[in-house]
Amino acid sequence: QVQLADSGGGLVQAGGSTQLRCDASGSTSWINAIGWYRYYPGKEREMVASITNGITWAYADSVKGRFTISQENAGNTVYLQMNNLQPEDTGVYYCAAGHRTIAEKSRVAYWGRGTQVTVPE
């Protein structure tokens, strides 16, 4: 079993920055892909950023150039640095992990509880 503890976020003004953190514990050696999804009512849950095998990075087009995913602690701690936040970034952000990929929701094996990021107009 793997546990994902996500934290950070909160209320951030447009143009501001914040950082999310995900701490993985348990059988983390099984995880080869980890990153973040976000959800906002009325919109489909979407993958925001991911790291696969520690060497491949992927970002949603809407956040490229603004968000940066990074990891430390042998990959058991993952950060999402969020810069130049916009109201469209508002949502609940979930740390997500899978064995080989998290590019599809069906292949996400573990989810964090989610953390709210709110960017007012």
Side-chain angles (χ1 to χ4, degrees):
Q1 286 294 115
V2 174
Q3 295 79 44
L4 303 177
D6 37 25
S7 59
L11 179 65
V12 185
Q13 298 301 310
S17 299
T18 193
Q19 185 180 71
L20 307 184
R21 173 173 174 159
C22 176
D23 291 290
S25 60
S27 301
T28 58
S29 62
W30 185 85
I31 296 172
N32 293 299
I34 190 166
W36 298 88
Y37 274 73
R38 68 184 179 189
Y39 173 75
Y40 188 83
K43 298 175 64 177
E44 183 178 354
R45 184 175 295 192
E46 64 176 348
M47 190 180 74
V48 177
S50 68
I51 300 177
T52 303
N53 297 320
I55 59 173
T56 302
W57 297 262
Y59 296 93
D61 287 342
S62 60
V63 308
K64 287 180 179 177
R66 299 189 297 120
F67 292 9
T68 303
I69 189 169
S70 61
Q71 61 185 2
E72 62 180 23
N73 188 28
N76 292 327
T77 298
V78 181
Y79 300 95
L80 184 66
Q81 179 65 42
M82 307 165 67
N83 296 329
N84 191 23
L85 283 161
Q86 301 299 312
E88 308 88 79
D89 296 315
T90 293
V92 179
Y93 286 69
Y94 297 87
C95 186
H99 180 46
R100 298 189 183 279
T101 181
I102 60 166
E104 301 176 23
K105 288 184 292 184
S106 62
R107 301 194 67 176
V108 174
Y110 300 97
W111 296 92
R113 293 181 177 179
T115 185
Q116 178 72 38
V117 175
T118 301
V119 185
E121 294 283 350

